[in-house]
Amino acid sequence: MLTDSQDALAREVLIHGPIARGELGRRLGLSPASLTRLAKPFLERGLFVEVEDAGSGAVGRPVRPLDITPDLGSFIGIKITGDTAFVVLTDARARAVSQHDIAVTDRAPEAVVAQLAETITALAENFPPVLGVGVSLGGVVDDEGRVLRAPFLGWNGVDLGVELQRACGLPVAVENDVVALVEAERWFGAGRGRSGFSVITVGAGVGYGLVVGGESVHTREAGVGLGGHIPLDPTGPLCPEGHRGCSSALITSVGMCAQLQAAVGRPVDYDEVLTMARDGHPAAGAVVDAGARGLGRLIALAANLTMQPTVVLAGEGLGLWEIAEDAVRDAAAADRDPLANPVEILVDRAGFGAWARGAAAVAIQAAVARLGDEAALPG
């Protein structure tokens, strides 16, 4: 198994490479001799490579930053919803190489496992070597990859990690979707290089995650959906659970559609809500305005309570941000103390692709944790 120092070195090179040895030493608190000793097995086993630093211009011994090997392998990330599996094949830095959407027509666990295994096998044949698979979904997932509860799928107590690994023959990591997305933002996305930030996801539900001191906050409650019922407007609409003006009622696509449907007397979808608001429909405009104020207040709450002034917005429901950004920013600023740092709002517009990429990031992290096992390395 890797030592803590080896694990830290592997993560730094994976996330920040190519990176100079001097910078690595400063980040990790290692002497040049210690860094050389720790890096040697990674170089010998083909995980790291030394690259030319064409821009250094230094006289004397050339600087040779460390990077991961370009052909290390591929990873598969899968985000499962109640009706679709969003699949992405990535490189070792979670950059998408191939994306696929698969309709989930049968939610029975064995049917979903069989469907995913078929897709994984086909991708592994076309993009070898695949080193790992990550799966994320909305719900409570334990440390062993067992899905304790997934309401969108109607699952309770499904041993997804074990069953899918048995079916596809590859290492499988399963995680709550928000936790996985936070890890992707921390390692490879908008939060890369930042010591702390919150992640707020908006779509059919509201998700919330937190990074402090460079590490994500892991808790079983990440899958309970605690961000979904934060009170934002005491005069707002009711959510299905009976909470007045909570985040689910105000800013989710489901909540916004329900509000406008009640006003116009017919079903509407999320895109129609946004289009009608953009075209000046008064009821739709009121729904979007209330949602924008609610989202701004939620952003300010996240920054105020965590003392992390950076917030990453993600999810498939960011159409609200796209048409009401100024209103969101104004509401966030209104709930901040004038002496506090301005809230920095970063937006990941990848939609469901961001969720799948998050699952791939979990697979990449699991692969890093396996590096102490010689058999886990390619070649």
Side-chain angles (χ1 to χ4, degrees), residues 16-17 23 58 75 98 100 120 142 215 221 246 250 253 260 269 291 327 339 359:
H16 300 290
E23 176 63 18
F75 295 84
S98 176
H100 310 269
I120 291 166
D142 69 15
E215 298 293 332
E221 292 186 341
C246 72
L250 282 175
S253 56
L260 187 55
D269 61 26
L339 294 180

Side-chain angles (χ1 to χ4, degrees), residues 50-337:
E50 294 180 313
V51 298
E52 296 290 345
D53 187 2
S56 68
V59 177
R61 185 175 180 178
V63 177
R64 297 179 66 84
L66 293 175
D67 200 1
I68 57 169
T69 185
D71 56 354
L72 175 64
S74 302
F75 295 84
I76 296 172
I78 303 171
K79 153 71 171 176
I80 309 175
T81 71
D83 54 18
T84 307
F86 299 89
V87 183
V88 61
L89 183 129
T90 77
D91 64 10
R93 287 198 170 103
R95 292 176 294 216
V97 176
S98 176
Q99 297 188 61
H100 310 269
D101 297 349
I102 303 167
V104 175
T105 56
D106 185 344
R107 297 179 184 174
E110 59 274 15
V112 173
V113 166
Q115 191 172 21
L116 296 183
E118 181 180 356
T119 300
I120 291 166
T121 300
L123 286 173
E125 290 175 351
N126 291 325
F127 298 93
V130 172
L131 301 185
V133 177
V135 180
S136 75
L137 43 76
V140 181
V141 180
D142 69 15
D143 293 338
E144 305 303 319
R146 182 178 173 83
V147 181
L148 303 182
R149 187 184 73 181
F152 288 106
L153 292 163
W155 289 1
N156 291 284
V158 176
D159 213 350
L160 181 61
V162 169
E163 295 301 324
L164 186 56
Q165 184 163 318
R166 182 181 295 125
C168 71
L170 291 168
V172 175
V174 182
E175 187 55 273
N176 167 265
D177 53 3
V178 176
V179 172
L181 181 60
V182 170
E183 294 293 24
E185 300 294 357
R186 178 171 74 98
W187 275 41
F188 307 112
R192 179 175 176 265
R194 289 172 168 80
S195 63
F197 57 93
S198 298
V199 175
I200 295 174
T201 66
V202 182
V206 178
Y208 173 75
L210 178 64
V211 172
V212 178
E215 298 293 332
S216 59
V217 176
H218 281 266
T219 168
R220 173 185 170 276
E221 292 186 341
V224 177
L226 299 180
H229 296 286
I230 294 175
L232 300 174
D233 182 353
T235 65
L238 291 173
C239 80
E241 301 296 325
H243 305 136
R244 184 167 295 281
C246 72
S247 51
S248 288
L250 282 175
I251 67 176
T252 65
S253 56
V254 175
M256 293 175 67
C257 290
Q259 291 179 65
L260 187 55
Q261 178 175 329
V264 300
R266 62 176 178 81
V268 293
D269 61 26
Y270 185 58
D271 288 340
E272 189 175 4
V273 173
L274 301 178
T275 298
M276 290 172 66
R278 190 181 294 112
D279 292 342
H281 189 284
V287 169
V288 167
D289 184 60
R293 291 197 310 271
L295 179 56
R297 172 157 285 186
L298 184 60
I299 290 169
L301 282 170
N304 292 346
L305 294 175
T306 66
M307 292 180 283
Q308 307 295 327
T310 298
V311 176
V312 177
L313 291 181
E316 70 279 12
L318 287 181
L320 173 62
W321 167 267
E322 301 299 345
I323 71 167
E325 175 182 344
D326 290 344
V328 174
R329 290 188 180 277
D330 289 346
D335 281 356
R336 289 283 281 173
D337 190 283

